[in-house]
Amino acid sequence: MRRTLMFVAAVLISLPLWAMHCPQDMAKIDALLQSDPPSDPEVLAKVKELRAEGEALHKAGDHAESVKVLGEALDLLSASE
Protein backbone atom coordinates (compact mmCIF):
# COMPACT_ATOMS: atom_id res chain seq x y z
CA MET A 1 0.00 0.00 0.00
CA ARG A 2 2.79 2.39 0.87
CA ARG A 3 4.53 1.80 -2.47
CA THR A 4 1.29 2.45 -4.32
CA LEU A 5 0.82 5.76 -2.53
CA MET A 6 4.42 6.75 -3.25
CA PHE A 7 3.92 5.90 -6.94
CA VAL A 8 0.71 7.93 -7.16
CA ALA A 9 2.39 10.87 -5.43
CA ALA A 10 5.34 10.70 -7.84
CA VAL A 11 3.01 10.67 -10.84
CA LEU A 12 1.03 13.64 -9.58
CA ILE A 13 4.18 15.61 -8.86
CA SER A 14 5.61 14.89 -12.31
CA LEU A 15 2.52 16.01 -14.29
CA PRO A 16 3.56 19.70 -14.35
CA LEU A 17 6.95 18.64 -15.68
CA TRP A 18 5.27 16.99 -18.66
CA ALA A 19 3.28 20.16 -19.25
CA MET A 20 6.41 22.30 -19.38
CA HIS A 21 8.18 19.89 -21.73
CA CYS A 22 5.61 20.32 -24.53
CA PRO A 23 6.29 24.02 -25.25
CA GLN A 24 10.03 23.33 -25.34
CA ASP A 25 9.53 20.60 -27.93
CA MET A 26 7.21 22.81 -29.99
CA ALA A 27 9.77 25.63 -29.93
CA LYS A 28 12.51 23.20 -30.97
CA ILE A 29 10.40 21.96 -33.90
CA ASP A 30 9.58 25.53 -34.96
CA ALA A 31 13.27 26.50 -34.86
CA LEU A 32 14.28 23.48 -36.93
CA LEU A 33 11.55 24.18 -39.48
CA GLN A 34 12.76 27.78 -39.77
CA SER A 35 16.48 27.04 -40.01
CA ASP A 36 16.61 23.71 -41.86
CA PRO A 37 13.25 22.43 -43.13
CA PRO A 38 13.16 18.94 -44.64
CA SER A 39 13.53 18.87 -48.41
CA ASP A 40 10.92 16.12 -48.79
CA PRO A 41 7.46 17.75 -48.90
CA GLU A 42 5.82 14.63 -47.43
CA VAL A 43 8.12 14.72 -44.39
CA LEU A 44 7.53 18.45 -43.99
CA ALA A 45 3.75 17.95 -44.09
CA LYS A 46 3.92 15.08 -41.58
CA VAL A 47 6.09 17.11 -39.19
CA LYS A 48 3.69 20.06 -39.37
CA GLU A 49 0.74 17.72 -38.78
CA LEU A 50 2.40 16.10 -35.75
CA ARG A 51 3.40 19.49 -34.36
CA ALA A 52 -0.21 20.75 -34.62
CA GLU A 53 -1.51 17.53 -33.05
CA GLY A 54 1.01 17.86 -30.21
CA GLU A 55 -0.06 21.42 -29.53
CA ALA A 56 -3.74 20.41 -29.50
CA LEU A 57 -3.00 17.58 -27.06
CA HIS A 58 -1.02 19.97 -24.85
CA LYS A 59 -3.89 22.45 -24.76
CA ALA A 60 -6.30 19.60 -23.97
CA GLY A 61 -4.15 18.61 -20.98
CA ASP A 62 -2.89 15.29 -22.39
CA HIS A 63 0.78 16.09 -21.88
CA ALA A 64 2.13 12.55 -22.00
CA GLU A 65 0.60 11.96 -25.43
CA SER A 66 1.69 15.44 -26.54
CA VAL A 67 5.31 14.69 -25.63
CA LYS A 68 5.07 11.41 -27.53
CA VAL A 69 3.66 13.02 -30.69
CA LEU A 70 6.11 15.91 -30.59
CA GLY A 71 8.93 13.40 -30.12
CA GLU A 72 7.82 11.66 -33.32
CA ALA A 73 8.02 14.98 -35.14
CA LEU A 74 11.50 15.62 -33.79
CA ASP A 75 12.56 12.12 -34.83
CA LEU A 76 11.31 12.75 -38.36
CA LEU A 77 13.25 16.02 -38.49
CA SER A 78 16.41 14.31 -37.25
CA ALA A 79 16.06 11.49 -39.76
CA SER A 80 15.60 13.90 -42.66
CA GLU A 81 18.97 15.60 -42.14
Side-chain angles (χ1 to χ4, degrees), residues 27-67:
K28 196 180 301 184
I29 291 167
D30 292 342
L32 287 169
L33 288 175
Q34 287 288 329
S35 66
D36 188 25
S39 57
D40 185 356
E42 289 180 19
V43 172
L44 180 60
K46 184 66 176 175
V47 168
K48 287 182 176 182
E49 176 187 325
L50 289 170
R51 196 257 185 237
E53 182 182 348
E55 183 174 8
L57 288 166
H58 171 72
K59 288 180 178 178
D62 191 354
H63 302 292
E65 189 64 24
S66 175
V67 168

Side-chain angles (χ1 to χ4, degrees), residues 40-41 60 73 75-76:
D40 185 356
D75 290 343
L76 277 175

Side-chain angles (χ1 to χ4, degrees), residues 2-31:
R2 185 174 180 200
R3 284 186 178 178
T4 303
L5 289 175
M6 293 299 285
F7 176 76
V8 170
V11 168
L12 291 175
I13 290 170
S14 68
L15 286 177
L17 297 175
W18 285 103
M20 293 190 308
H21 198 278
C22 305
Q24 292 171 351
D25 286 348
M26 287 186 280
K28 196 180 301 184
I29 291 167
D30 292 342

